Tab-separated table of all heavy atoms in Angstrom:
chain	number	residue	atom	x	y	z
A	90	LEU	N	3.820	-22.558	-9.064
A	90	LEU	CA	3.173	-22.578	-7.755
A	90	LEU	C	3.809	-21.641	-6.747
A	90	LEU	O	3.230	-21.338	-5.711
A	90	LEU	CB	3.169	-24.021	-7.213
A	90	LEU	CG	2.336	-25.068	-7.990
A	90	LEU	CD1	2.529	-26.441	-7.420
A	90	LEU	CD2	0.868	-24.666	-8.016
A	91	SER	N	5.009	-21.156	-7.047
A	91	SER	CA	5.715	-20.303	-6.109
A	91	SER	C	5.376	-18.827	-6.330
A	91	SER	O	5.976	-17.958	-5.658
A	91	SER	CB	7.222	-20.505	-6.222
A	91	SER	OG	7.695	-20.071	-7.510
A	92	VAL	N	4.480	-18.476	-7.273
A	92	VAL	CA	4.255	-17.125	-7.621
A	92	VAL	C	3.848	-16.236	-6.435
A	92	VAL	O	4.300	-15.077	-6.299
A	92	VAL	CB	3.174	-17.009	-8.765
A	92	VAL	CG1	1.856	-17.622	-8.330
A	92	VAL	CG2	3.003	-15.586	-9.200
A	93	LEU	N	2.963	-16.741	-5.567
A	93	LEU	CA	2.513	-15.931	-4.430
A	93	LEU	C	3.646	-15.535	-3.523
A	93	LEU	O	3.759	-14.346	-3.161
A	93	LEU	CB	1.447	-16.708	-3.642
A	93	LEU	CG	0.860	-15.998	-2.391
A	93	LEU	CD1	0.158	-14.706	-2.838
A	93	LEU	CD2	-0.125	-16.906	-1.684
A	94	SER	N	4.488	-16.494	-3.159
A	94	SER	CA	5.591	-16.164	-2.268
A	94	SER	C	6.618	-15.274	-2.941
A	94	SER	O	7.254	-14.432	-2.303
A	94	SER	CB	6.254	-17.438	-1.754
A	94	SER	OG	6.767	-18.223	-2.861
A	95	VAL	N	6.823	-15.429	-4.268
A	95	VAL	CA	7.774	-14.594	-4.980
A	95	VAL	C	7.351	-13.120	-4.927
A	95	VAL	O	8.153	-12.229	-4.605
A	95	VAL	CB	7.885	-15.048	-6.461
A	95	VAL	CG1	8.670	-14.022	-7.285
A	95	VAL	CG2	8.595	-16.419	-6.552
A	96	ILE	N	6.082	-12.856	-5.207
A	96	ILE	CA	5.593	-11.471	-5.244
A	96	ILE	C	5.663	-10.853	-3.868
A	96	ILE	O	6.169	-9.735	-3.691
A	96	ILE	CB	4.164	-11.431	-5.775
A	96	ILE	CG1	4.104	-11.877	-7.255
A	96	ILE	CG2	3.588	-10.003	-5.670
A	96	ILE	CD1	2.729	-12.027	-7.833
A	97	LEU	N	5.143	-11.543	-2.857
A	97	LEU	CA	5.179	-10.995	-1.491
A	97	LEU	C	6.601	-10.805	-0.991
A	97	LEU	O	6.917	-9.845	-0.282
A	97	LEU	CB	4.379	-11.916	-0.567
A	97	LEU	CG	2.880	-11.933	-0.807
A	97	LEU	CD1	2.188	-12.936	0.132
A	97	LEU	CD2	2.252	-10.548	-0.651
A	98	TYR	N	7.470	-11.735	-1.315
A	98	TYR	CA	8.890	-11.669	-0.849
A	98	TYR	C	9.569	-10.459	-1.460
A	98	TYR	O	10.230	-9.699	-0.750
A	98	TYR	CB	9.583	-12.950	-1.251
A	98	TYR	CG	10.930	-13.175	-0.544
A	98	TYR	CD1	10.930	-13.634	0.759
A	98	TYR	CD2	12.140	-12.951	-1.194
A	98	TYR	CE1	12.128	-13.859	1.433
A	98	TYR	CE2	13.313	-13.155	-0.548
A	98	TYR	CZ	13.303	-13.602	0.763
A	98	TYR	OH	14.521	-13.844	1.403
A	99	GLU	N	9.371	-10.235	-2.775
A	99	GLU	CA	9.978	-9.085	-3.423
A	99	GLU	C	9.453	-7.789	-2.866
A	99	GLU	O	10.198	-6.818	-2.703
A	99	GLU	CB	9.764	-9.166	-4.926
A	99	GLU	CG	10.539	-10.240	-5.635
A	99	GLU	CD	12.054	-10.055	-5.516
A	99	GLU	OE1	12.494	-8.861	-5.554
A	99	GLU	OE2	12.770	-11.061	-5.352
A	100	PHE	N	8.159	-7.767	-2.564
A	100	PHE	CA	7.555	-6.574	-1.976
A	100	PHE	C	8.178	-6.224	-0.634
A	100	PHE	O	8.569	-5.091	-0.346
A	100	PHE	CB	6.045	-6.731	-1.808
A	100	PHE	CG	5.460	-5.801	-0.826
A	100	PHE	CD1	5.372	-4.442	-1.097
A	100	PHE	CD2	4.975	-6.286	0.403
A	100	PHE	CE1	4.851	-3.563	-0.138
A	100	PHE	CE2	4.425	-5.416	1.326
A	100	PHE	CZ	4.380	-4.034	1.064
A	101	LEU	N	8.302	-7.243	0.233
A	101	LEU	CA	8.867	-7.018	1.537
A	101	LEU	C	10.340	-6.534	1.482
A	101	LEU	O	10.701	-5.617	2.194
A	101	LEU	CB	8.806	-8.312	2.405
A	101	LEU	CG	7.438	-8.607	3.034
A	101	LEU	CD1	7.532	-9.917	3.826
A	101	LEU	CD2	6.991	-7.465	3.915
A	102	LEU	N	11.112	-7.139	0.585
A	102	LEU	CA	12.501	-6.734	0.492
A	102	LEU	C	12.666	-5.278	0.037
A	102	LEU	O	13.481	-4.528	0.546
A	102	LEU	CB	13.268	-7.679	-0.453
A	102	LEU	CG	13.474	-9.116	0.007
A	102	LEU	CD1	14.310	-9.880	-0.991
A	102	LEU	CD2	14.094	-9.173	1.389
A	103	GLU	N	11.850	-4.869	-0.948
A	103	GLU	CA	11.898	-3.528	-1.436
A	103	GLU	C	11.390	-2.542	-0.332
A	103	GLU	O	11.942	-1.466	-0.163
A	103	GLU	CB	11.062	-3.355	-2.700
A	103	GLU	CG	11.139	-1.979	-3.296
A	103	GLU	CD	10.367	-1.827	-4.583
A	103	GLU	OE1	9.880	-2.858	-5.082
A	103	GLU	OE2	10.304	-0.702	-5.135
A	104	TYR	N	10.359	-2.957	0.372
A	104	TYR	CA	9.825	-2.153	1.472
A	104	TYR	C	10.853	-1.953	2.570
A	104	TYR	O	11.056	-0.824	3.061
A	104	TYR	CB	8.552	-2.811	2.028
A	104	TYR	CG	7.962	-2.102	3.207
A	104	TYR	CD1	7.123	-1.008	3.074
A	104	TYR	CD2	8.183	-2.586	4.500
A	104	TYR	CE1	6.607	-0.375	4.173
A	104	TYR	CE2	7.640	-1.968	5.607
A	104	TYR	CZ	6.827	-0.845	5.410
A	104	TYR	OH	6.297	-0.217	6.521
A	105	TYR	N	11.536	-3.002	2.981
A	105	TYR	CA	12.554	-2.894	4.008
A	105	TYR	C	13.687	-1.984	3.556
A	105	TYR	O	14.241	-1.244	4.390
A	105	TYR	CB	13.077	-4.292	4.381
A	105	TYR	CG	12.063	-5.192	5.087
A	105	TYR	CD1	12.126	-6.559	4.956
A	105	TYR	CD2	11.083	-4.619	5.861
A	105	TYR	CE1	11.158	-7.372	5.579
A	105	TYR	CE2	10.108	-5.425	6.497
A	105	TYR	CZ	10.173	-6.791	6.356
A	105	TYR	OH	9.271	-7.597	6.977
Side-chain angles (χ1 to χ4, degrees):
L90 295 175
S91 66
V92 60
L93 179 60
S94 60
V95 169
I96 295 173
L97 292 177
Y98 195 77
E99 289 298 323
F100 160 69
L101 281 180
L102 292 185
E103 185 176 354
Y104 176 81
Y105 292 150

